[in-house]
Amino acid sequence: QIEKLEVAGPYLNIFLGSGSFAESFWNYIQQENLYKNIAGNKGKTIYIDYIGANVGKPLHIWHMCTPSQGQVFANLFNKLGYNTISDSHIGDWGIIFGKLIVAYEEYGDADKLHENAVEHLFELYVKISSDTEKDDSLEGEFRSAFKKLSEGDSEMKDIWAQFTRYSIEAMNIQLSRIFVKPDYNIGESFYEWLGLAKMEDYPDLKYSMKDIVQELIQKNIATQNEDGSVGVVFPDEMKIPSCILAKRDGTHGYLASDLASIRYRMQNWSPKKILYFVDARQQLHLRQTFEIAKMAWWYNDNTEITHAYNGFISLKDGAMSTRKGKIIKLEALLDEAEKRASDIIQEKRDDISGEELQKLSKIIWIWAIKYGYLKKSRETDVIFDWDEFMSFEWNSGPYIQYAYVRAQKILKKSATNLSFDILDYNTSEEKELIKHILWFEKVILEITQTYYPHSLCQYSYDLTKKFSAFYNNVPILSEKDGKLKNSRLVLLYGFSRILEESFEILGIPLPQEM
């Protein structure tokens, strides 16, 4: 177990022997559940609020951010035994609906709406936004249309249902391409309690936005102003700006719907955690939301509510704008990434074509784009650059993919049944790789507390570098000693298994060939 001891002043340095490495590795990697030491969460619920797509707006490059971040933790907490609920919290409410309804009545085409609602609504949104810059009186029409919808006008409700249903369908088609799948798509409109049709099977609402506002007034947390609006003024020591819950015309904004959603989630699931994967611009808004909910006693210190925010993503020539149509649509981004991956593969491998090329291209581009984003700290502002994201060198998806494929090929080529009973590791490369494999559980525990998936990407890259040093310096298939050969094949198995677990969490598939 112990190779040697050294006295160093007041310290005693203990050097572990090869038997200790072999036993620790053997005990860990043969487990069916690699998370059992940090699991034990059966019966506990975690609610994840992410994606934040809006009806009438196509998914764009920003939707590589919060959906990818949030899905990592939906995957992770499921592995740790939690009852994990993921909700896209789709934006199907607000003055934008007044805007879209007015635009549809003026310029809309029913056939185009049925054929591709998202594209048609986006065209209408850009056009009406341009018109508004020339005629600001349109803002009054938007407010009037939205007020009718808020009051339950049947015609407006029917238009709302078409807009929302088609947008959710289109959104989920694109999200599935990046392996993001919310359990629910509960829209902001649900919390208005207008008798709007539910898009999926989730619990009914007990308290609407109006009920929430009235409760906060009764608890002296909110105040009704002379003009009929309702706001909250925070105590001076909190140093939080005041905010509006209801406008003077009785309509509600994002704050009221987010408060209603917290109340709804606590009532129906009593989650241990509610995690918001929403961009950094919402920090103040969500801080106001969380503080009001806590003052109202809808949750206490037994529930953690966290805003795991991400930075901005912009183009090389500046910021994006949906109002002006200056965006990279997610569909176009993914199509272009797949094409670039195909071109790169054909440059390197002229023996791959047809269906095999198409399949491999899909796996490689998702690695390049999704891993390229997730490897950065979520708080970092990102400038999207094709050359950087499609790089196949060093800390990149394809670099790790290639190492995994090499390990798999050796395991298949060996065609032997691995024995976990007698393992022997003596080289520094073997020990370094084992130490890093055994570090996996600690990394997983760390990201459950910090919500930084880039730590798992960095770990996977470091693990791959340890594997490369082992692969390049230690004989495996050519080893004559049967015990050593088996031990090294088991180490390949352990490396492969940890990578598979890591990338199941990250929501990125691994190839079997490259």
Side-chain angles (χ1 to χ4, degrees):
Q1 295 293 317
I2 296 176
E3 186 175 281
K4 64 177 179 177
L5 300 174
E6 280 183 358
V7 176
Y11 301 102
L12 180 65
N13 293 331
I14 302 172
F15 294 81
L16 297 178
S18 60
S20 178
F21 278 93
E23 183 177 350
S24 297
F25 175 63
W26 179 85
N27 286 335
Y28 182 61
I29 206 65
Q30 69 166 337
Q31 296 178 131
E32 184 177 346
N33 180 6
L34 295 179
Y35 311 92
K36 71 176 185 180
N37 293 327
I38 54 175
N41 303 299
K42 191 174 182 180
K44 297 176 183 176
T45 296
I46 289 181
Y47 203 104
I48 294 177
D49 182 317
Y50 71 146
I51 300 175
N54 291 304
V55 169
K57 295 182 181 179
L59 296 179
H60 46 72
I61 193 172
W62 284 333
H63 292 104
M64 281 298 301
C65 302
T66 54
S68 294
Q69 300 276 353
Q71 193 64 49
V72 168
F73 291 93
N75 298 339
L76 173 58
F77 287 121
N78 274 327
K79 281 184 175 289
L80 294 180
Y82 286 94
N83 171 36
T84 307
I85 300 169
S86 55
D87 177 4
S88 74
H89 196 72
I90 191 166
D92 66 340
W93 199 247
I95 192 65
I96 186 176
F97 265 87
K99 197 171 190 175
L100 288 173
I101 288 170
V102 170
Y104 184 68
E105 290 177 336
E106 182 70 22
Y107 310 113
D109 183 314
D111 291 335
K112 286 185 178 181
L113 182 68
H114 293 153
E115 181 183 336
N116 192 330
V118 172
E119 286 298 321
H120 187 48
L121 291 174
F122 183 57
E123 290 170 2
L124 296 178
Y125 177 79
V126 172
K127 182 168 179 55
I128 203 72
S129 295
S130 176
D131 291 349
T132 307
E133 291 177 1
K134 303 169 189 171
D135 181 6
D136 57 13
S137 68
L138 285 171
E139 295 286 356
E141 293 186 37
F142 304 157
R143 286 192 293 271
S144 176
F146 179 55
K147 191 169 188 300
K148 284 184 180 180
L149 177 60
S150 300
E151 292 170 347
D153 181 272
S154 59
E155 183 181 350
M156 298 296 177
K157 284 168 63 176
D158 180 62
I159 295 174
W160 168 88
Q162 291 184 66
F163 288 178
T164 301
R165 186 176 298 108
Y166 288 123
S167 291
I168 289 174
E169 289 174 1
M171 175 188 77
N172 284 328
I173 289 171
Q174 295 307 320
L175 290 177
S176 67
R177 296 180 69 186
I178 55 172
F179 297 88
V180 170
K181 189 180 187 308
D183 296 313
Y184 292 129
N185 296 285
I186 305 177
E188 293 168 349
S189 64
F190 175 68
Y191 302 104
E192 282 284 354
W193 209 0
L194 297 175
L196 298 170
K198 289 197 298 184
M199 297 295 161
E200 295 154 346
D201 184 20
Y202 37 80
D204 291 331
L205 188 70
K206 293 181 181 178
Y207 297 96
S208 68
M209 294 188 210
K210 288 182 181 178
D211 297 327
I212 294 296
V213 170
Q214 287 305 309
E215 180 180 344
L216 293 173
I217 292 173
Q218 290 168 10
K219 290 183 174 179
N220 295 318
I221 296 170
T223 304
Q224 186 150 24
N225 303 313
E226 290 183 2
D227 65 356
S229 64
V230 178
V232 174
V233 178
F234 294 92
D236 292 340
E237 60 269 21
M238 284 188 172
K239 297 181 180 179
I240 302 176
S242 58
C243 52
I244 295 294
L245 288 171
K247 300 173 186 176
R248 60 186 179 183
D249 62 1
T251 59
H252 304 98
Y254 297 125
L255 185 59
S257 67
D258 279 327
L259 286 167
S261 72
I262 290 177
R263 187 76 186 278
Y264 173 76
R265 293 162 184 173
M266 292 305 301
Q267 277 191 327
N268 288 290
W269 293 288
S270 300
K272 181 77 174 173
K273 301 172 186 275
I274 303 178
L275 304 177
Y276 288 75
F277 289 89
V278 182
D279 74 49
R281 291 170 295 184
Q282 303 302 320
Q283 287 183 83
L284 174 58
H285 164 73
L286 287 175
R287 187 183 174 199
Q288 291 169 327
T289 303
F290 299 164
E291 291 295 343
I292 293 171
K294 196 163 189 177
M295 287 191 289
W297 292 101
W298 296 333
Y299 80 98
N300 54 36
D301 292 336
N302 293 323
T303 297
E304 173 196 338
I305 299 189
T306 297
H307 177 200
Y309 63 87
N310 59 274
F312 305 120
I313 187 165
S314 58
L315 306 177
K316 289 180 76 173
D317 61 345
M320 290 177 281
S321 169
T322 50
R323 286 172 59 88
K324 297 179 180 179
K326 185 188 175 186
I327 61 171
I328 295 180
K329 294 178 183 177
L330 184 62
E331 182 177 16
L333 174 78
L334 302 184
D335 289 345
E336 177 66 17
E338 186 173 343
K339 179 182 179 300
R340 287 176 181 247
S342 178
D343 291 343
I344 292 170
I345 294 167
Q346 287 178 300
E347 285 178 14
K348 298 177 181 292
R349 293 281 302 273
D350 57 8
D351 60 325
I352 297 178
S353 62
E355 189 175 328
E356 185 182 2
L357 174 64
Q358 187 178 28
K359 182 180 179 181
L360 188 55
S361 298
K362 288 180 184 296
I363 294 176
I364 287 180
W365 71 251
I366 190 68
W367 265 84
I369 295 295
K370 194 170 180 179
Y371 182 86
Y373 174 73
L374 288 174
K375 74 179 183 182
K376 303 173 186 292
S377 170
R378 60 173 165 77
E379 296 178 6
T380 301
D381 290 340
V382 176
I383 296 175
F384 185 80
D385 182 346
W386 277 113
D387 292 335
E388 178 191 351
F389 274 74
M390 293 302 292
S391 170
F392 280 32
E393 302 299 326
W394 299 110
N395 190 7
S396 66
Y399 172 78
I400 298 171
Q401 283 176 314
Y402 185 64
Y404 173 79
V405 169
R406 275 198 304 194
Q408 289 298 295
K409 283 184 176 179
I410 294 172
L411 288 170
K412 289 175 184 175
K413 194 172 182 180
S414 70
T416 58
N417 293 322
L418 300 180
S419 171
F420 288 82
D421 295 332
I422 305 174
L423 300 177
D424 189 11
Y425 300 107
N426 295 296
T427 70
S428 61
E429 290 86 357
E430 289 170 313
K431 292 178 181 179
E432 284 299 311
L433 182 52
I434 287 172
K435 281 195 290 185
H436 217 69
I437 287 172
L438 295 176
W439 202 248
F440 177 66
E441 211 170 27
K442 184 181 186 302
V443 172
I444 293 299
L445 183 60
E446 176 191 318
I447 66 172
T448 64
Q449 298 166 346
T450 62
Y451 313 117
Y452 288 112
H454 79 277
S455 297
L456 182 56
C457 293
Q458 185 63 48
Y459 167 82
S460 300
Y461 173 53
D462 291 340
L463 180 68
T464 302
K465 288 194 295 182
K466 303 291 185 188
F467 163 78
S468 295
F470 162 69
Y471 176 86
N472 291 325
N473 295 291
V474 180
I476 304 171
L477 290 179
S478 62
E479 176 58 57
K480 303 300 183 185
D481 185 307
K483 177 182 176 183
L484 291 179
K485 182 177 179 180
N486 174 77
S487 297
R488 290 164 188 174
L489 289 171
V490 170
L491 192 46
L492 285 184
Y493 164 78
F495 163 74
S496 300
R497 186 175 179 197
I498 295 298
L499 271 193
E500 287 164 2
E501 289 290 333
S502 298
F503 285 92
E504 278 181 21
I505 292 169
L506 293 172
I508 302 174
L510 282 162
Q512 296 300 313
E513 293 285 342
M514 277 190 76

